[in-house]
Amino acid sequence: MTNEQPLQQYLIDSEPYYAPQNNEIELFEAAYRNAIPVLLKGPTGCGKTRFMEHIAWRLKRPLVTVSCHDDLTAADLVGRYLIIGGETRWADGPLSRAVRGGGICYLDEIVEARKDTTVVIHPLADDRRALPIEKTGELLIAPAEFCLAISYNPGYQSVLKDLKQSTRQRFVSIEFNYPKPGLEADIVVKESGLDGEMAARLVKYAGMTRNLKGSGLEEGASTRLLVHAAKLMVSGIDPRVACRGAISETLTDDPDMLKAVSELSASLF
């Protein structure tokens, strides 16, 4: 017996706020209409996941998101047999559910998954648009509404965790980066309710930390962290305390680097 679950719970009812940077929305929608899978690449916290939520809302398709990690197996994606009430039932994994239901399956940080796991998406990501389920002998053919999207951070991954050419050349790629200062400040204001002048200071601070990438920091402050700090500030937290808790302490544990990053915020707040 099978245990298939509907995708209604994955529909996004209200429009998620997303501020376009370039032509990423048009490019994704054109790829979707042509049944081409999409690869999003860019730094942590720059808006890739929010973009996918916005796209799913625009296309009116369910969004099934999988956060990839080292222990993610092919069975976690495709499904497995379970004993339920004394009966053996097949339970679809998130990828199979998305294929059956014509949803969007978003594999976030795909390179964190084991390489033998990512191979299962290859037949879905080319002209076959098929998902073989070896344990049941079933071959799922993706309907026209189905879309496969993956993401990764090329600046953060090691060589051992780079995305293989055999995978990436199946996708249309969309590059993301942190928004330009004016747009990023607008996003912080919209997401947190912070006033524009303080938001601009936060964005300036973020730029300072991003300049330290590779010189003591693995990553600079993301737009996500700026929104966190802004929300703390709106809640009455002193700006320096908010920046330390939401940004400095998050970026590094090194005492010297922590002091340097905190001094940057002190110069602005």
Side-chain angles (χ1 to χ4, degrees):
M1 298 181 64
T2 61
N3 180 25
E4 299 174 15
Q5 299 179 4
L7 294 182
Q8 284 84 353
Q9 61 181 311
Y10 297 104
L11 285 168
I12 297 174
D13 296 327
S14 56
E15 179 180 1
Y17 173 70
Y18 178 76
Q21 297 185 45
N22 294 297
N23 58 354
E24 63 268 28
I25 292 176
E26 293 82 0
L27 186 56
F28 192 105
E29 291 183 339
Y32 178 77
R33 290 193 298 270
N34 286 279
I36 304 172
V38 179
L39 162 64
L40 313 182
K41 57 181 184 177
T44 299
C46 69
K48 299 188 295 296
T49 298
R50 178 63 64 86
F51 170 76
M52 286 304 307
E53 293 170 350
H54 184 78
I55 282 291
W57 174 81
R58 288 177 65 93
L59 296 176
K60 296 179 174 56
R61 303 310 308 159
L63 176 64
V64 180
T65 300
V66 179
S67 297
C68 299
H69 52 82
D70 289 338
D71 295 326
L72 186 74
T73 66
D76 292 328
L77 284 179
V78 177
R80 53 172 54 89
Y81 282 108
L82 301 175
I83 304 298
I84 302 175
E87 289 187 314
T88 300
R89 297 187 181 184
W90 172 259
D92 278 339
L95 181 59
S96 301
R97 289 199 298 272
V99 173
R100 288 189 199 277
I104 300 172
C105 186
Y106 174 46
L107 304 180
D108 189 22
E109 296 295 349
I110 183 71
V111 294
E112 295 296 333
R114 295 171 5 186
K115 293 191 184 299
D116 60 333
T117 300
T118 59
V119 169
V120 304
I121 70 172
H122 284 186
L124 270 176
D126 57 31
D127 291 341
R128 290 171 287 179
R129 285 178 60 83
L131 178 63
I133 303 180
E134 295 180 2
K135 291 183 179 179
T136 65
E138 186 177 7
L139 182 66
L140 288 183
I141 303 300
E145 297 82 7
F146 171 76
C147 176
L148 177 64
I150 64 176
S151 73
Y152 87 117
N153 179 354
Y156 177 73
Q157 309 301 340
S158 69
V159 174
L160 295 176
K161 287 190 173 183
D162 199 6
L163 195 60
K164 294 172 61 176
Q165 287 292 330
S166 59
T167 300
R168 66 188 301 156
Q169 290 203 24
R170 287 170 156 81
F171 292 79
V172 164
S173 297
I174 303 177
E175 184 175 9
F176 287 76
N177 210 326
Y178 300 120
K180 293 180 179 179
L183 178 58
E184 190 165 34
D186 289 343
I187 292 171
V188 171
V189 170
K190 175 70 175 181
E191 292 285 305
S192 68
L194 189 67
D195 69 82
E197 192 270 334
M198 291 297 282
R201 289 194 203 181
L202 270 178
V203 170
K204 186 175 182 180
Y205 174 46
M208 292 175 174
T209 67
R210 292 165 190 169
N211 289 334
L212 293 174
K213 181 177 179 181
S215 300
L217 292 181
E218 289 187 357
E219 289 279 356
S222 67
T223 306
R224 179 190 296 128
L225 291 188
L226 299 188
V227 172
H228 290 174
K231 287 180 177 179
L232 294 179
M233 292 161 65
V234 170
S235 296
I237 301 298
D238 179 83
R240 294 187 187 184
V241 176
C243 286
R244 184 178 180 93
I247 299 174
S248 305
E249 294 279 3
T250 303
L251 293 179
T252 182
D253 294 319
D254 180 82
D256 292 334
M257 184 54 62
L258 182 58
K259 181 180 179 181
V261 175
S262 296
E263 286 176 352
L264 291 177
S265 67
S267 70
L268 292 169
F269 298 101

